[in-house]
Amino acid sequence: MGFVLDAELLDTEPKDPYPIPRKIMAEPDYIDDDNPELIRPQKLINPVKSSRNHQDLHRELLMNQKRGLAPQNKPELQKVMEKRKRDQVIKQQKEEEAQKKKSDLEIELLKRQQKLEQLELEQQKIQEEQENAPEFVKVKGNLRRTVQEATEAPDS
């Protein structure tokens, strides 16, 4: 035997998805009266729920909940700190890329600078060797220079 619902026992308003048995609730007095002057109470419309923006937002929240995407309720300070950290990382990456990618001019200038430094080091070594050399080697070098200058001067 199946369970049969009596139409008189249930409040069957089309708005309410869950029927409520009338035996639980007390019946108001105005239901029996067919007085046309009597104003019957109606449920008030909630302007927030009826607004289009609210409905769209509610629909989006429900879809996100089904997908498992909960809205992030982070404190504002935490959001700002995360943004700063992201900006710092991006800035460091840009600096590293700039250092890696040097222009042709910069590369050429670095090569020339290295060559000049090597020449300076060689000259310093030569000077140190000359200063540390014995006196007779210095005199011999001076004599050679004077002899070369004397032979070149009358020829020209």
Side-chain angles (χ1 to χ4, degrees):
M1 239 172 121
F3 183 77
V4 178
L5 294 177
D6 195 4
E8 291 180 8
L9 294 176
L10 298 177
D11 184 14
T12 56
E13 287 185 16
K15 295 178 185 177
D16 194 8
Y18 304 104
I20 301 171
R22 287 193 175 187
K23 289 185 176 179
I24 294 174
M25 296 176 61
E27 292 185 17
D29 296 338
Y30 57 82
I31 289 181
D32 295 334
D33 295 339
D34 289 329
N35 190 353
E37 295 177 8
L38 184 66
I39 300 174
R40 297 198 174 177
Q42 293 180 346
K43 194 171 187 179
L44 295 175
I45 298 171
N46 188 345
V48 173
K49 287 187 177 181
S50 64
S51 74
R52 192 75 184 149
N53 289 338
H54 182 271
Q55 291 174 359
D56 292 341
L57 180 63
H58 186 65
R59 187 179 306 112
E60 185 178 345
L61 286 172
L62 285 176
M63 290 181 67
N64 285 343
Q65 185 178 8
K66 286 180 185 176
R67 290 185 200 152
L69 303 172
Q72 296 180 352
N73 295 327
K74 294 182 181 178
E76 190 171 343
L77 178 63
Q78 187 177 0
K79 290 179 186 177
V80 170
M81 294 302 286
E82 287 176 358
K83 185 178 185 307
R84 279 189 186 173
K85 190 177 273 188
R86 280 193 307 267
D87 291 345
Q88 252 183 351
V89 169
I90 290 171
K91 187 177 179 182
Q92 286 178 350
Q93 289 175 349
K94 286 182 180 179
E95 288 176 358
E96 290 173 1
E97 289 176 9
Q99 289 178 354
K100 289 179 183 176
K101 297 181 180 179
K102 294 182 179 178
S103 67
D104 295 337
L105 177 64
E106 289 176 325
I107 293 171
E108 195 63 35
L109 288 174
L110 286 173
K111 286 180 182 177
R112 287 186 182 186
Q113 183 180 2
Q114 289 173 353
K115 286 180 183 178
L116 288 174
E117 288 174 357
Q118 287 176 352
L119 287 174
E120 288 177 4
L121 287 174
E122 288 175 6
Q123 288 177 356
Q124 285 179 355
K125 286 180 183 178
I126 292 171
Q127 283 180 350
E128 287 176 3
E129 287 174 4
Q130 287 178 355
E131 290 174 1
N132 294 337
E135 187 68 29
F136 70 91
V137 176
K138 292 180 188 176
V139 172
K140 186 178 178 185
N142 286 341
L143 285 174
R144 282 188 187 160
R145 268 189 246 124
T146 54
V147 170
Q148 285 177 356
E149 291 173 358
T151 56
E152 291 176 3
D155 293 341
S156 44

